[in-house]
Amino acid sequence: MSAAPVGLRGGAVSGTAPGAAPGPRRASTRRRLFDAAVTLIAEQGFSATTVDEIAERAGVAKGTVYYNFASKNVLYEELLRDGIDLLADSLRRAADSATARGGTRVDALDAMIRAGLDFIARSPALTQLYVAELWRTNRSWRATVQSVRGRALGVVESVLRDAVRDGELADELDVPLTASALLGMVLVAALDWLSFQPHRSVEDVHASLSRLVQGRVGATTGR
């Protein structure tokens, strides 16, 4: 299954000031490079994927890759950062929307599960790469992986802490571990669904995970 475009953010890359967004034309080029890289690396691995192949798949000259990114490592690091930042934003929007409609914090967690499934269904290759990198310690981008993991987890943790504060969840809830378990559940369950149970709809998968969360997390307050 091919990954959909994972989107763009500005970054500290060759020719781009930290935090500065590239112009529309360059943003389009970077999007194509991200898309090509994530698909190729998912297919054949990082080491086996060359800059020439990324350029060819993206339909640009090899020099264009180096104009936008100092190296293949930098491209991959930026790809991970951008993609997981987009996931974190998607989770936050889902939680905010649920609470704005008058839902509980557990409802917000449920909305985040659906948002996570939708995101992963759109970008399975990116998710596969991110999960594969989580426990590797010998990569130059290890710090980036830890940073983006922390951002995604922080969104879930903030909802859990609000739930504990408001009395929706028990005070003894281990917020960091619960957040990690919830995010990990969505990532792994979604990849398993897409790889081994593709006949199931996202609504079906969401309903199953929702029952699990309602029964485990929500049960701490008798929900």
Side-chain angles (χ1 to χ4, degrees):
M1 184 181 298
S2 296
V6 295
L8 292 173
R9 293 180 186 278
V13 297
S14 177
T16 303
R25 183 173 179 180
R26 188 171 184 190
S28 177
T29 300
R30 284 165 57 89
R31 179 178 290 112
R32 294 204 306 274
L33 290 170
F34 278 155
D35 215 19
V38 74
T39 303
L40 284 167
I41 294 169
E43 289 174 354
Q44 58 194 33
F46 176 80
S47 297
T49 299
T50 67
V51 171
D52 288 303
E53 289 174 319
I54 293 171
E56 181 179 359
R57 180 69 66 94
V60 301
K62 181 177 180 179
T64 301
V65 180
Y66 290 115
Y67 175 74
N68 285 274
F69 305 98
S71 66
K72 185 176 72 169
N73 280 19
V74 170
L75 188 160
Y76 189 49
E77 188 173 344
E78 288 294 312
L79 184 156
L80 287 173
R81 179 183 292 113
D82 180 81
I84 304 308
D85 276 355
L86 288 174
L87 171 60
D89 288 344
S90 178
L91 298 178
R92 169 53 66 192
R93 287 194 303 270
D96 289 346
S97 178
T99 53
R101 293 193 303 268
T104 66
R105 304 296 179 182
V106 176
D107 292 330
L109 290 172
D110 184 63
M112 293 166 78
I113 290 173
R114 176 55 189 264
L117 291 173
D118 286 338
F119 180 90
I120 295 165
R122 292 192 304 270
S123 303
L126 169 69
T127 308
Q128 181 181 354
L129 294 180
Y130 170 67
V131 171
E133 293 299 327
L134 276 175
W135 295 280
R136 290 180 177 170
T137 59
N138 62 339
R139 301 294 203 187
S140 63
W141 51 78
R142 177 64 178 170
T144 295
V145 172
Q146 291 178 322
S147 174
V148 297
R149 173 184 177 273
R151 181 154 189 262
L153 278 177
V155 176
V156 184
E157 288 180 6
S158 68
V159 174
L160 290 171
R161 288 197 176 93
D162 287 344
V164 171
R165 182 199 63 203
D166 295 344
E168 293 181 29
L169 298 178
D171 290 340
E172 62 267 23
L173 182 75
D174 187 326
V175 170
L177 186 59
T178 302
S180 180
L182 289 172
L183 184 60
M185 175 189 72
V186 172
L187 291 171
V188 175
L191 290 176
D192 185 88
W193 156 48
L194 295 171
S195 297
F196 302 110
Q197 305 177 66
H199 60 281
R200 299 182 65 173
S201 67
V202 65
E203 290 80 13
D204 182 27
V205 176
H206 174 226
S208 295
L209 296 183
S210 178
R211 284 191 292 271
L212 179 62
V213 170
Q214 294 285 348
R216 296 298 181 182
V217 176
T220 60
T221 55
R223 283 178 57 86

